[in-house]
């Protein structure tokens, strides 16, 4: 009889043991790195079922993930803006279906991107009242895009280079124009002859086509899920506002419009509002599941 009581006690104790983090289903969580420079991105992969949608908070924003049925993995990007202060920041990962919750420390470090010196026509640098007013209006139009992004991701798989040309202007460099310090370079310049086709780096929707003072013929694509790409100084835009664009589709032609010294493509990317090095996004995306 004593042995029966002991067995019953063990069974009851097991059934009534309070749940804790150890009893939850622990997902396989992989960061491409736990350290990034300001202006960089990290790829976060979470191996879990489609019904186990992860919720990740980073820099006070919810990160959107895409899911691959082939390998049962959720993937998304954590970004640090070009002006982000160095320090340790926390990424909170939650799986609501299982109750799993864990915080991961990510270190953001400083980086010296260098300096570029440019010489441009005086009227393109020292703006008169009319030009200054125009620039402010155009900036307001662009800034409105960051709060009106598509919540659902259209992007999937590898991000492409928009042209095959050599990189002649790197991301993050402080700009000295006509001897005066200006805003840093927040995109990448690629060499290209006028008329060279420019392709969309991923699936998306055209959210802005404009002729702006600094950027000339300008095109913005919203890839959903917090990622927006931009293409400046185009000779021509070959799509229309609101068009749904496929990855690799020709969207414009390289030109020399706006404030430039010659034909080239300036292109940039924002990830959850953060200005990041688009080349890092392209490189990291090679680890994305199609």
């Amino acid at each position: 009889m004593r042995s029966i009581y002991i067995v019953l006690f063990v069974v009851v104790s097991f059934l009534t043991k309070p749940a804790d983090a150890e009893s939850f289903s622990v997902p396989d969580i992989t960061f491409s790195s736990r350290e990034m420079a300001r202006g960089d991105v990290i790829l976060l992969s979470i191996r879990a079922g489609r019904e186990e949608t992860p919720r990740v908070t980073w820099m006070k924003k919810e990160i959107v993930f895409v899911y691959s049925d082939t390998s049962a993995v959720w993937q998304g990007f954590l970004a640090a803006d070009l002006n982000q202060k160095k320090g340790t920041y926390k990424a909170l990962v939650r799986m609501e279906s299982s109750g799993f919750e864990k915080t991961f420390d990510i270190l953001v470090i400083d980086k010296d991107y260098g300096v570029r010196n440019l010489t441009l026509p005086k009227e393109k640098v020292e703006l008169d009242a009319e030009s200054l007013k125009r620039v402010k209006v155009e900036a307001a139009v662009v800034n409105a895009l960051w709060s009106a992004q598509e919540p659902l991701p259209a992007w999937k798989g590898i991000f492409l280079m928009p042209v095959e040309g050599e990189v002649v202007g790197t991301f993050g460099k402080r700009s000295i124009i006509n001897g005066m310090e200006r805003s840093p370079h927040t995109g990448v310049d690629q060499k290209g002859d006028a008329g060279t086709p420019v392709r969309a780096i991923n699936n998306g929707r055209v959210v802005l086509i404009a002729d702006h003072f600094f950027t000339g013929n300008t095109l913005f694509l919203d890839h959903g899920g917090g990622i927006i790409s931009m293409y400046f100084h185009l000779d021509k835009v070959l799509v229309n506002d609101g068009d749904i664009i496929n990855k690799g589709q020709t969207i414009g032609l390289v030109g020399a419009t706006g404030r430039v010294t010659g034909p080239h493509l300036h292109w940039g990317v924002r990830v959850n509002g953060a200005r990041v090095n688009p080349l890092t996004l392209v490189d990291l995306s090679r680890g994305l599941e199609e």
Side-chain angles (χ1 to χ4, degrees), residues 129-191:
E130 184 177 349
S131 296
L132 186 59
K133 181 179 178 181
R134 175 186 172 185
V135 166
K136 288 181 178 179
V137 170
E138 292 170 353
V141 170
V142 171
N143 287 337
L145 296 177
W146 315 137
S147 59
Q149 300 178 61
E150 293 283 351
L152 298 178
W155 59 270
K156 190 171 179 64
I158 296 172
F159 283 78
L160 307 175
M161 297 287 285
V163 295
E164 299 299 329
E166 173 190 357
V167 173
V168 293
T170 55
F171 172 86
K173 283 189 174 183
R174 293 187 297 112
S175 299
I176 307 296
I177 303 177
N178 295 357
M180 299 179 65
E181 186 157 356
R182 301 289 178 173
S183 299
H185 196 226
T186 57
V188 166
D189 291 340
Q190 282 188 269
K191 187 176 181 179

Side-chain angles (χ1 to χ4, degrees), residues 219-231:
L219 172 63
F220 283 77
L221 293 182
D222 188 345
H223 303 284
I227 299 180
I228 290 181
S229 62
M230 56 209 78
Y231 312 79

Side-chain angles (χ1 to χ4, degrees), residues 38-215:
R38 57 183 179 85
D40 272 350
V41 291
I42 285 175
L43 176 62
L44 172 55
S45 302
I46 301 175
R47 196 165 298 280
R50 176 178 282 279
E51 71 285 353
E52 299 179 273
T53 307
R55 295 194 63 183
V56 177
T57 304
W58 166 252
M59 299 284 186
K60 299 181 179 180
K61 293 183 179 179
E62 288 282 332
I63 305 302
V64 177
F65 286 74
V66 295
Y67 185 74
S68 168
D69 286 305
T70 304
S71 54
V73 64
W74 292 92
Q75 294 183 299
F77 295 100
L78 309 184
D81 185 74
L82 179 59
N83 285 341
Q84 188 66 47
K85 293 181 179 179
K86 64 181 181 179
T88 300
Y89 296 85
K90 297 185 181 299
L92 174 63
V93 178
R94 290 172 290 169
M95 308 295 288
E96 293 186 339
S97 59
S98 65
F100 173 85
E101 180 173 314
K102 187 173 181 179
T103 299
F104 298 85
D105 288 339
I106 306 294
L107 180 63
V108 176
I109 62 174
D110 198 5
K111 182 175 181 177
D112 183 2
Y113 284 101
V115 180
R116 64 173 188 164
N117 287 279
L118 300 173
T119 301
L120 295 169
K122 185 177 180 180
E123 65 273 12
K124 290 290 187 179
V125 181
E126 300 175 22
L127 306 186
D128 57 31
E130 184 177 349
S131 296
L132 186 59
K133 181 179 178 181
R134 175 186 172 185
V135 166
K136 288 181 178 179
V137 170
E138 292 170 353
V141 170
V142 171
N143 287 337
L145 296 177
W146 315 137
S147 59
Q149 300 178 61
E150 293 283 351
L152 298 178
W155 59 270
K156 190 171 179 64
I158 296 172
F159 283 78
L160 307 175
M161 297 287 285
V163 295
E164 299 299 329
E166 173 190 357
V167 173
V168 293
T170 55
F171 172 86
K173 283 189 174 183
R174 293 187 297 112
S175 299
I176 307 296
I177 303 177
N178 295 357
M180 299 179 65
E181 186 157 356
R182 301 289 178 173
S183 299
H185 196 226
T186 57
V188 166
D189 291 340
Q190 282 188 269
K191 187 176 181 179
D193 295 330
T196 300
V198 176
R199 60 183 182 175
I201 64 172
N202 215 311
N203 307 325
R205 181 173 66 87
V206 179
V207 290
L208 179 65
I209 296 172
D211 178 8
H212 284 175
F213 183 87
F214 288 127
T215 57

